Amino acid sequence: MTSHWCDFQNTDVILHCGSNSVENHPVSSLWLGKAHDRGAKWIVVDPRYTRTAEQADIYCPIRSGTDIAFYGGMYHWIIENLIDPNLEKYLATGEMGDYNYEYLLNYTNASYLLDPEFDFDPETGLYSGWDEKTKTYSNHSWHYQTEKEENWDTSASGDYAWVKKDGVPEFTTPTLTLPKRDMTLRDPMCVYQQVKKHYERYTLDAVCDICGMDKETLELVYSTYGSTAKPGRAGMVLYALGQTQHSYGAQNTRAMCVMQLLLGNIGIPGGGVNALRGEPNVQGATDMGMMVNEHPAYLKWANTTDRSSLRKWLESQTYSAGYYTNKPKFIVSSLKEWFGEAATVENDYGYDWWPKVPSEKGDQDYTHISTFELMKQGVIKGYFNWGMNPCHSAPNAGNVRRSMANLDWLVVADQVETESAAFWKAPDMNPAEIQTTVYFLPCALIYEKPGTILNSGRWLQWRYQAVEPWDQAKPDLEMCDLLWTEICRLYKEEGGANPAPILNTKWDYYVNGKIDFRPVSWALNGYRTANSDFKAGKVDLLKGYSELGADGSTSCAMWIYSGFYNNNDAPLDPAQQPIGRRDNNDKSGLGLNSNWAFSWPSNRRILYNRNSCDTKGKPWNPDKKLMEWDGSKWDLVDQGDFVSAKNGQQVPPNNNTFFMLWEQNARLESYGMEDGPMPEHYEPFESPFDNALNGSQNNPMIKFTEYESTAHGGTDEYPIIATTYSVTEHWQTGGQSRSCPALVEAMPSQFCEMSEEFAAEKGIKPGDKVRVWNKRGSVVVDAYVTKRLKPFTIHGKTQHQVGLTHHFGWTHLYGTGDTVNDLTPNVGDPNTMVPEYKAFLVNIEKA
């Protein structure tokens, strides 16, 4: 999320696509309402007319799974109606009119020249670099042409003198390849021309035919949101799981970024690409690297190929320019926190003690969906199920239950007995055939423990304990400590395989002999190793990540959080730390609230905020100033997300506005995605229609379709599109909310939402029980007949779509029901492996 909730009030146009904030993130809607009251236009693009749509000025229906077609049509409209008509005039006179050419030319890679081999073939739906044998891309042709090269200056007076310091691991420093550019945007191989060419197919008629809206509404959406391209105006896009849970979910997110860059909406007040994260603290879990391939703080985990050694990691991950030239400082400081005094430059700071993710082409995948296939095969014998409920929430949940029945042991840590904790009790399971030993660890609720919490806007707050945990429940940290202590005892007394990574791990987060969140915060913030001794309660905290070193002099588990807990005068008092600030005075006038809690990174409230000014450092909108260059220095209202000062001197304005990229300009075309350099429309794994825009029906790199358990269903048997979503009254898999009688009374059962037209065809009345099924499962739910869904007309054919809620299960809570995720396909996005919950096929009959 590049912005934060309080910034929503500053926008001129709101675009909801793949989110329903009024129902699912109701607090965020307060700020949207403020913007609306101030005259902002509100657009909702959604398969159904939601409560958010009821608040909006424009509602545009869309068939689930066709978001990229919608965004591609937006690009085509922007190019045809805003950029091309006056581009030559701008180049001749500098007059921008209704389009911010200065932003496009200077802050994005629109002018960069791509490799001459770069290509896309609509007949096959494939980009250049495709390997049919491995079903993967080589991204060589997606890179830029090179103008010249520059090497790092590691001399004593150079910018990279730190590379030569004692204690810094040896590695070959990167070479900066400066790309060729055409600032007139006329060269056919420049990014802009390639984007223009690529999306010529995405006409208004084509988009309407694929997505199912009428042309007049679509054009109104495009023109209304396109009005934010004018310098000084702002548009924000709000998304959630409706965008991400697809077999091309990462490209859906990329598509929003491209749209916002074409309109100049990144880094400005009221702009941004804004993910609406929810109660499960998703932002914090993502930051902490709770994925196979992601190390905490968005660094890549060690693997068996390009990151198999520390030297390889440094050489493959360190950028040639921009702020990620500092990655060696981040990873070495992280290793020092993992292994403490045992981590030395002589042993590569313990890097070889880290496990390595298999990364050769064809290697076994160990992500979420594949985990259950490995259980089925007997490869995985034991499973820690911590903070999730896959027998309810995972795609193809019936397959998950059957796979877990092959485990020798299962540990579940949760507040209540979830479907995963009692998977053998499911209606389709036979307990007599299951030999799995299940251990249930009751864990403390959020108000029964202290610690940090993080919201959608990257704001970290300290949360204080309200009451003691109930009965035998323990905080997660205490459970981790008990397990860790016992594992170490067994290794010391009995030995075991690979003891070094276990016994050398630093584990000293205690206060008065008890495991404590405050020393963990010291570790996350970062500190100087020479003057710190956790066992003695002594720590020399860093002020921020700019103080990190690659020489072993600093430890830091989460470089992006550095600065959130940095007050050395009160290391045991969270109230006196930046994370404990509660000053709601807002000097900015924009809702930055910079003295309320701490926003990572470096208390920056709006990411990429240098883009809020022109190339001379003057705000596009003087009434909403984040910063300004006065001719000799920067006046920073928000913490600058760029190099504003160097060696004690102010740095005058330049075009390095995205300094987390080596180009320091944003990417309309990107070589960093697994499945293509630009978003391209593909149909969901299960779809009633052929792909009308190219020759590849599905994402060419869609994951896990080879598993027999995915059980693909065709249109003949399963003609109805289904999607899943949440309701306000229930939370995730319902463990807590279905334990509350009042919430169950407010929303007593799950339902299948359907149009009046579809219900009439099937003879279904409101409140009837209906069976919804496909090859993966069958559920019985209540029928909810509504005007909020309407049939789509796709390629001249009437197409019905239904919506299913997913909060109920069979465990003995106040509200019970079938598990809707028995129906969703266990296929995934090739970048993130996220499942495709939001578009699949079913059949329906009156039960």
Side-chain angles (χ1 to χ4, degrees), residues 526-557:
Y527 56 92
R528 293 172 185 84
T529 55
N531 301 319
S532 300
D533 183 350
F534 279 28
K535 292 179 181 178
K538 180 183 177 184
V539 62
D540 185 4
L541 297 166
L542 303 177
K543 290 302 179 185
Y545 53 73
S546 64
E547 298 181 359
L548 291 171
D551 58 354
S553 62
T554 58
S555 290
C556 182

PDB file of all heavy atoms in Angstrom, residues 526-557:
ATOM      1  N   GLY A 526      16.911  -2.902  15.267  1.00  0.00           N
ATOM      2  CA  GLY A 526      18.331  -2.870  14.962  1.00  0.00           C
ATOM      3  C   GLY A 526      19.134  -2.158  16.026  1.00  0.00           C
ATOM      4  O   GLY A 526      18.649  -1.218  16.677  1.00  0.00           O
ATOM      5  N   TYR A 527      20.378  -2.596  16.217  1.00  0.00           N
ATOM      6  CA  TYR A 527      21.227  -2.055  17.271  1.00  0.00           C
ATOM      7  C   TYR A 527      22.693  -2.314  16.912  1.00  0.00           C
ATOM      8  O   TYR A 527      23.013  -3.121  16.032  1.00  0.00           O
ATOM      9  CB  TYR A 527      20.885  -2.697  18.614  1.00  0.00           C
ATOM     10  CG  TYR A 527      20.974  -4.209  18.604  1.00  0.00           C
ATOM     11  CD1 TYR A 527      22.150  -4.865  18.962  1.00  0.00           C
ATOM     12  CD2 TYR A 527      19.890  -4.979  18.207  1.00  0.00           C
ATOM     13  CE1 TYR A 527      22.245  -6.239  18.930  1.00  0.00           C
ATOM     14  CE2 TYR A 527      19.971  -6.360  18.159  1.00  0.00           C
ATOM     15  CZ  TYR A 527      21.150  -6.993  18.523  1.00  0.00           C
ATOM     16  OH  TYR A 527      21.244  -8.358  18.474  1.00  0.00           O
ATOM     17  N   ARG A 528      23.570  -1.610  17.606  1.00  0.00           N
ATOM     18  CA  ARG A 528      25.006  -1.811  17.426  1.00  0.00           C
ATOM     19  C   ARG A 528      25.442  -2.998  18.289  1.00  0.00           C
ATOM     20  O   ARG A 528      25.162  -3.043  19.490  1.00  0.00           O
ATOM     21  CB  ARG A 528      25.783  -0.545  17.804  1.00  0.00           C
ATOM     22  CG  ARG A 528      25.523   0.605  16.847  1.00  0.00           C
ATOM     23  CD  ARG A 528      26.128   1.913  17.316  1.00  0.00           C
ATOM     24  NE  ARG A 528      25.736   2.997  16.421  1.00  0.00           N
ATOM     25  CZ  ARG A 528      24.590   3.671  16.516  1.00  0.00           C
ATOM     26  NH1 ARG A 528      23.729   3.371  17.487  1.00  0.00           N
ATOM     27  NH2 ARG A 528      24.316   4.627  15.654  1.00  0.00           N
ATOM     28  N   THR A 529      26.142  -3.928  17.668  1.00  0.00           N
ATOM     29  CA  THR A 529      26.478  -5.160  18.378  1.00  0.00           C
ATOM     30  C   THR A 529      27.527  -4.948  19.459  1.00  0.00           C
ATOM     31  O   THR A 529      27.500  -5.620  20.499  1.00  0.00           O
ATOM     32  CB  THR A 529      26.983  -6.212  17.374  1.00  0.00           C
ATOM     33  OG1 THR A 529      28.081  -5.668  16.627  1.00  0.00           O
ATOM     34  CG2 THR A 529      25.877  -6.607  16.409  1.00  0.00           C
ATOM     35  N   ALA A 530      28.456  -4.017  19.240  1.00  0.00           N
ATOM     36  CA  ALA A 530      29.567  -3.852  20.184  1.00  0.00           C
ATOM     37  C   ALA A 530      29.105  -3.398  21.559  1.00  0.00           C
ATOM     38  O   ALA A 530      29.714  -3.744  22.572  1.00  0.00           O
ATOM     39  CB  ALA A 530      30.588  -2.864  19.617  1.00  0.00           C
ATOM     40  N   ASN A 531      28.040  -2.631  21.611  1.00  0.00           N
ATOM     41  CA  ASN A 531      27.597  -2.042  22.877  1.00  0.00           C
ATOM     42  C   ASN A 531      26.303  -2.653  23.400  1.00  0.00           C
ATOM     43  O   ASN A 531      25.630  -2.046  24.224  1.00  0.00           O
ATOM     44  CB  ASN A 531      27.413  -0.529  22.703  1.00  0.00           C
ATOM     45  CG  ASN A 531      28.685   0.159  22.261  1.00  0.00           C
ATOM     46  OD1 ASN A 531      29.755  -0.156  22.739  1.00  0.00           O
ATOM     47  ND2 ASN A 531      28.555   1.102  21.327  1.00  0.00           N
ATOM     48  N   SER A 532      25.956  -3.832  22.915  1.00  0.00           N
ATOM     49  CA  SER A 532      24.672  -4.433  23.301  1.00  0.00           C
ATOM     50  C   SER A 532      24.885  -5.826  23.874  1.00  0.00           C
ATOM     51  O   SER A 532      25.719  -6.596  23.392  1.00  0.00           O
ATOM     52  CB  SER A 532      23.749  -4.511  22.086  1.00  0.00           C
ATOM     53  OG  SER A 532      23.491  -3.226  21.557  1.00  0.00           O
ATOM     54  N   ASP A 533      24.114  -6.123  24.900  1.00  0.00           N
ATOM     55  CA  ASP A 533      24.131  -7.441  25.529  1.00  0.00           C
ATOM     56  C   ASP A 533      22.726  -7.708  26.055  1.00  0.00           C
ATOM     57  O   ASP A 533      22.345  -7.243  27.130  1.00  0.00           O
ATOM     58  CB  ASP A 533      25.162  -7.480  26.663  1.00  0.00           C
ATOM     59  CG  ASP A 533      25.275  -8.849  27.315  1.00  0.00           C
ATOM     60  OD1 ASP A 533      24.420  -9.719  27.024  1.00  0.00           O
ATOM     61  OD2 ASP A 533      26.201  -9.047  28.106  1.00  0.00           O
ATOM     62  N   PHE A 534      21.933  -8.449  25.299  1.00  0.00           N
ATOM     63  CA  PHE A 534      20.529  -8.680  25.671  1.00  0.00           C
ATOM     64  C   PHE A 534      20.429  -9.371  27.027  1.00  0.00           C
ATOM     65  O   PHE A 534      19.514  -9.093  27.813  1.00  0.00           O
ATOM     66  CB  PHE A 534      19.844  -9.524  24.595  1.00  0.00           C
ATOM     67  CG  PHE A 534      19.393  -8.742  23.392  1.00  0.00           C
ATOM     68  CD1 PHE A 534      20.039  -7.587  22.996  1.00  0.00           C
ATOM     69  CD2 PHE A 534      18.313  -9.175  22.637  1.00  0.00           C
ATOM     70  CE1 PHE A 534      19.632  -6.877  21.875  1.00  0.00           C
ATOM     71  CE2 PHE A 534      17.879  -8.474  21.527  1.00  0.00           C
ATOM     72  CZ  PHE A 534      18.546  -7.328  21.147  1.00  0.00           C
ATOM     73  N   LYS A 535      21.347 -10.291  27.310  1.00  0.00           N
ATOM     74  CA  LYS A 535      21.260 -11.028  28.571  1.00  0.00           C
ATOM     75  C   LYS A 535      21.425 -10.104  29.774  1.00  0.00           C
ATOM     76  O   LYS A 535      20.872 -10.354  30.844  1.00  0.00           O
ATOM     77  CB  LYS A 535      22.316 -12.133  28.594  1.00  0.00           C
ATOM     78  CG  LYS A 535      22.038 -13.243  27.585  1.00  0.00           C
ATOM     79  CD  LYS A 535      23.120 -14.321  27.617  1.00  0.00           C
ATOM     80  CE  LYS A 535      22.812 -15.396  26.583  1.00  0.00           C
ATOM     81  NZ  LYS A 535      23.875 -16.440  26.541  1.00  0.00           N
ATOM     82  N   ALA A 536      22.175  -9.027  29.538  1.00  0.00           N
ATOM     83  CA  ALA A 536      22.380  -8.046  30.608  1.00  0.00           C
ATOM     84  C   ALA A 536      21.352  -6.915  30.540  1.00  0.00           C
ATOM     85  O   ALA A 536      21.408  -5.972  31.344  1.00  0.00           O
ATOM     86  CB  ALA A 536      23.792  -7.466  30.515  1.00  0.00           C
ATOM     87  N   GLY A 537      20.412  -7.015  29.588  1.00  0.00           N
ATOM     88  CA  GLY A 537      19.400  -5.975  29.437  1.00  0.00           C
ATOM     89  C   GLY A 537      19.944  -4.695  28.855  1.00  0.00           C
ATOM     90  O   GLY A 537      19.375  -3.617  29.061  1.00  0.00           O
ATOM     91  N   LYS A 538      21.024  -4.782  28.102  1.00  0.00           N
ATOM     92  CA  LYS A 538      21.685  -3.601  27.550  1.00  0.00           C
ATOM     93  C   LYS A 538      21.567  -3.617  26.032  1.00  0.00           C
ATOM     94  O   LYS A 538      21.820  -4.634  25.393  1.00  0.00           O
ATOM     95  CB  LYS A 538      23.164  -3.607  27.957  1.00  0.00           C
ATOM     96  CG  LYS A 538      23.979  -2.439  27.441  1.00  0.00           C
ATOM     97  CD  LYS A 538      25.442  -2.605  27.848  1.00  0.00           C
ATOM     98  CE  LYS A 538      26.299  -1.486  27.276  1.00  0.00           C
ATOM     99  NZ  LYS A 538      27.742  -1.682  27.580  1.00  0.00           N
ATOM    100  N   VAL A 539      21.206  -2.459  25.456  1.00  0.00           N
ATOM    101  CA  VAL A 539      21.073  -2.396  23.998  1.00  0.00           C
ATOM    102  C   VAL A 539      21.407  -0.985  23.523  1.00  0.00           C
ATOM    103  O   VAL A 539      21.071   0.004  24.183  1.00  0.00           O
ATOM    104  CB  VAL A 539      19.646  -2.799  23.556  1.00  0.00           C
ATOM    105  CG1 VAL A 539      18.602  -1.837  24.109  1.00  0.00           C
ATOM    106  CG2 VAL A 539      19.547  -2.907  22.050  1.00  0.00           C
ATOM    107  N   ASP A 540      22.093  -0.902  22.384  1.00  0.00           N
ATOM    108  CA  ASP A 540      22.441   0.376  21.760  1.00  0.00           C
ATOM    109  C   ASP A 540      21.635   0.483  20.464  1.00  0.00           C
ATOM    110  O   ASP A 540      22.097   0.101  19.394  1.00  0.00           O
ATOM    111  CB  ASP A 540      23.946   0.428  21.489  1.00  0.00           C
ATOM    112  CG  ASP A 540      24.404   1.786  20.960  1.00  0.00           C
ATOM    113  OD1 ASP A 540      23.566   2.708  20.883  1.00  0.00           O
ATOM    114  OD2 ASP A 540      25.594   1.919  20.611  1.00  0.00           O
ATOM    115  N   LEU A 541      20.415   0.989  20.590  1.00  0.00           N
ATOM    116  CA  LEU A 541      19.469   0.992  19.472  1.00  0.00           C
ATOM    117  C   LEU A 541      19.866   1.973  18.374  1.00  0.00           C
ATOM    118  O   LEU A 541      20.394   3.060  18.645  1.00  0.00           O
ATOM    119  CB  LEU A 541      18.067   1.347  19.981  1.00  0.00           C
ATOM    120  CG  LEU A 541      17.442   0.366  20.969  1.00  0.00           C
ATOM    121  CD1 LEU A 541      16.237   0.990  21.654  1.00  0.00           C
ATOM    122  CD2 LEU A 541      17.048  -0.935  20.267  1.00  0.00           C
ATOM    123  N   LEU A 542      19.592   1.597  17.129  1.00  0.00           N
ATOM    124  CA  LEU A 542      19.841   2.473  15.980  1.00  0.00           C
ATOM    125  C   LEU A 542      18.681   3.447  15.809  1.00  0.00           C
ATOM    126  O   LEU A 542      17.531   3.112  16.092  1.00  0.00           O
ATOM    127  CB  LEU A 542      19.986   1.641  14.700  1.00  0.00           C
ATOM    128  CG  LEU A 542      21.063   0.562  14.682  1.00  0.00           C
ATOM    129  CD1 LEU A 542      21.007  -0.199  13.362  1.00  0.00           C
ATOM    130  CD2 LEU A 542      22.442   1.169  14.892  1.00  0.00           C
ATOM    131  N   LYS A 543      18.977   4.629  15.309  1.00  0.00           N
ATOM    132  CA  LYS A 543      17.929   5.607  15.036  1.00  0.00           C
ATOM    133  C   LYS A 543      17.128   5.233  13.794  1.00  0.00           C
ATOM    134  O   LYS A 543      15.953   5.563  13.679  1.00  0.00           O
ATOM    135  CB  LYS A 543      18.541   6.999  14.867  1.00  0.00           C
ATOM    136  CG  LYS A 543      19.079   7.588  16.169  1.00  0.00           C
ATOM    137  CD  LYS A 543      17.988   7.673  17.226  1.00  0.00           C
ATOM    138  CE  LYS A 543      18.506   8.239  18.529  1.00  0.00           C
ATOM    139  NZ  LYS A 543      17.456   8.207  19.602  1.00  0.00           N
ATOM    140  N   GLY A 544      17.763   4.541  12.856  1.00  0.00           N
ATOM    141  CA  GLY A 544      17.072   4.137  11.640  1.00  0.00           C
ATOM    142  C   GLY A 544      17.977   3.300  10.767  1.00  0.00           C
ATOM    143  O   GLY A 544      19.153   3.067  11.085  1.00  0.00           O
ATOM    144  N   TYR A 545      17.452   2.823   9.636  1.00  0.00           N
ATOM    145  CA  TYR A 545      18.209   1.883   8.816  1.00  0.00           C
ATOM    146  C   TYR A 545      19.398   2.511   8.104  1.00  0.00           C
ATOM    147  O   TYR A 545      20.276   1.794   7.600  1.00  0.00           O
ATOM    148  CB  TYR A 545      17.304   1.180   7.806  1.00  0.00           C
ATOM    149  CG  TYR A 545      16.470   2.074   6.923  1.00  0.00           C
ATOM    150  CD1 TYR A 545      17.032   2.806   5.886  1.00  0.00           C
ATOM    151  CD2 TYR A 545      15.091   2.155   7.104  1.00  0.00           C
ATOM    152  CE1 TYR A 545      16.257   3.606   5.071  1.00  0.00           C
ATOM    153  CE2 TYR A 545      14.314   2.959   6.291  1.00  0.00           C
ATOM    154  CZ  TYR A 545      14.895   3.680   5.272  1.00  0.00           C
ATOM    155  OH  TYR A 545      14.117   4.471   4.456  1.00  0.00           O
ATOM    156  N   SER A 546      19.480   3.830   8.066  1.00  0.00           N
ATOM    157  CA  SER A 546      20.652   4.470   7.461  1.00  0.00           C
ATOM    158  C   SER A 546      21.924   4.187   8.261  1.00  0.00           C
ATOM    159  O   SER A 546      23.037   4.365   7.746  1.00  0.00           O
ATOM    160  CB  SER A 546      20.441   5.980   7.345  1.00  0.00           C
ATOM    161  OG  SER A 546      20.332   6.574   8.633  1.00  0.00           O
ATOM    162  N   GLU A 547      21.786   3.718   9.498  1.00  0.00           N
ATOM    163  CA  GLU A 547      22.940   3.435  10.345  1.00  0.00           C
ATOM    164  C   GLU A 547      23.399   1.982  10.245  1.00  0.00           C
ATOM    165  O   GLU A 547      24.370   1.590  10.899  1.00  0.00           O
ATOM    166  CB  GLU A 547      22.620   3.783  11.801  1.00  0.00           C
ATOM    167  CG  GLU A 547      22.310   5.267  12.010  1.00  0.00           C
ATOM    168  CD  GLU A 547      22.006   5.601  13.472  1.00  0.00           C
ATOM    169  OE1 GLU A 547      22.022   4.681  14.310  1.00  0.00           O
ATOM    170  OE2 GLU A 547      21.755   6.784  13.765  1.00  0.00           O
ATOM    171  N   LEU A 548      22.730   1.167   9.442  1.00  0.00           N
ATOM    172  CA  LEU A 548      23.114  -0.238   9.307  1.00  0.00           C
ATOM    173  C   LEU A 548      24.439  -0.366   8.566  1.00  0.00           C
ATOM    174  O   LEU A 548      24.773   0.449   7.699  1.00  0.00           O
ATOM    175  CB  LEU A 548      22.030  -1.012   8.558  1.00  0.00           C
ATOM    176  CG  LEU A 548      20.706  -1.204   9.292  1.00  0.00           C
ATOM    177  CD1 LEU A 548      19.662  -1.796   8.363  1.00  0.00           C
ATOM    178  CD2 LEU A 548      20.906  -2.100  10.514  1.00  0.00           C
ATOM    179  N   GLY A 549      25.190  -1.400   8.907  1.00  0.00           N
ATOM    180  CA  GLY A 549      26.458  -1.678   8.252  1.00  0.00           C
ATOM    181  C   GLY A 549      26.496  -3.093   7.723  1.00  0.00           C
ATOM    182  O   GLY A 549      25.750  -3.974   8.184  1.00  0.00           O
ATOM    183  N   ALA A 550      27.385  -3.346   6.748  1.00  0.00           N
ATOM    184  CA  ALA A 550      27.560  -4.676   6.178  1.00  0.00           C
ATOM    185  C   ALA A 550      28.777  -5.375   6.765  1.00  0.00           C
ATOM    186  O   ALA A 550      29.223  -6.398   6.244  1.00  0.00           O
ATOM    187  CB  ALA A 550      27.705  -4.568   4.660  1.00  0.00           C
ATOM    188  N   ASP A 551      29.309  -4.844   7.849  1.00  0.00           N
ATOM    189  CA  ASP A 551      30.561  -5.338   8.414  1.00  0.00           C
ATOM    190  C   ASP A 551      30.389  -6.079   9.730  1.00  0.00           C
ATOM    191  O   ASP A 551      31.374  -6.351  10.432  1.00  0.00           O
ATOM    192  CB  ASP A 551      31.529  -4.170   8.620  1.00  0.00           C
ATOM    193  CG  ASP A 551      30.953  -3.083   9.528  1.00  0.00           C
ATOM    194  OD1 ASP A 551      29.760  -3.182   9.894  1.00  0.00           O
ATOM    195  OD2 ASP A 551      31.683  -2.124   9.851  1.00  0.00           O
ATOM    196  N   GLY A 552      29.151  -6.415  10.083  1.00  0.00           N
ATOM    197  CA  GLY A 552      28.900  -7.128  11.329  1.00  0.00           C
ATOM    198  C   GLY A 552      28.784  -6.237  12.541  1.00  0.00           C
ATOM    199  O   GLY A 552      28.617  -6.736  13.659  1.00  0.00           O
ATOM    200  N   SER A 553      28.832  -4.932  12.336  1.00  0.00           N
ATOM    201  CA  SER A 553      28.767  -4.005  13.472  1.00  0.00           C
ATOM    202  C   SER A 553      27.340  -3.743  13.929  1.00  0.00           C
ATOM    203  O   SER A 553      27.133  -3.170  14.999  1.00  0.00           O
ATOM    204  CB  SER A 553      29.429  -2.677  13.104  1.00  0.00           C
ATOM    205  OG  SER A 553      28.745  -2.057  12.013  1.00  0.00           O
ATOM    206  N   THR A 554      26.364  -4.141  13.126  1.00  0.00           N
ATOM    207  CA  THR A 554      24.956  -3.917  13.481  1.00  0.00           C
ATOM    208  C   THR A 554      24.167  -5.206  13.303  1.00  0.00           C
ATOM    209  O   THR A 554      24.480  -6.048  12.456  1.00  0.00           O
ATOM    210  CB  THR A 554      24.320  -2.826  12.602  1.00  0.00           C
ATOM    211  OG1 THR A 554      24.412  -3.194  11.217  1.00  0.00           O
ATOM    212  CG2 THR A 554      25.012  -1.488  12.807  1.00  0.00           C
ATOM    213  N   SER A 555      23.138  -5.357  14.107  1.00  0.00           N
ATOM    214  CA  SER A 555      22.171  -6.449  13.979  1.00  0.00           C
ATOM    215  C   SER A 555      20.802  -5.841  13.730  1.00  0.00           C
ATOM    216  O   SER A 555      20.448  -4.834  14.349  1.00  0.00           O
ATOM    217  CB  SER A 555      22.115  -7.292  15.257  1.00  0.00           C
ATOM    218  OG  SER A 555      23.287  -8.043  15.422  1.00  0.00           O
ATOM    219  N   CYS A 556      20.042  -6.450  12.830  1.00  0.00           N
ATOM    220  CA  CYS A 556      18.693  -5.938  12.548  1.00  0.00           C
ATOM    221  C   CYS A 556      17.893  -7.006  11.830  1.00  0.00           C
ATOM    222  O   CYS A 556      18.253  -7.431  10.726  1.00  0.00           O
ATOM    223  CB  CYS A 556      18.772  -4.672  11.691  1.00  0.00           C
ATOM    224  SG  CYS A 556      17.151  -3.935  11.351  1.00  0.00           S
ATOM    225  N   ALA A 557      16.807  -7.447  12.446  1.00  0.00           N
ATOM    226  CA  ALA A 557      15.979  -8.501  11.863  1.00  0.00           C
ATOM    227  C   ALA A 557      15.016  -7.992  10.802  1.00  0.00           C
ATOM    228  O   ALA A 557      14.562  -8.759   9.959  1.00  0.00           O
ATOM    229  CB  ALA A 557      15.191  -9.212  12.964  1.00  0.00           C
TER     230      ALA A 557
END
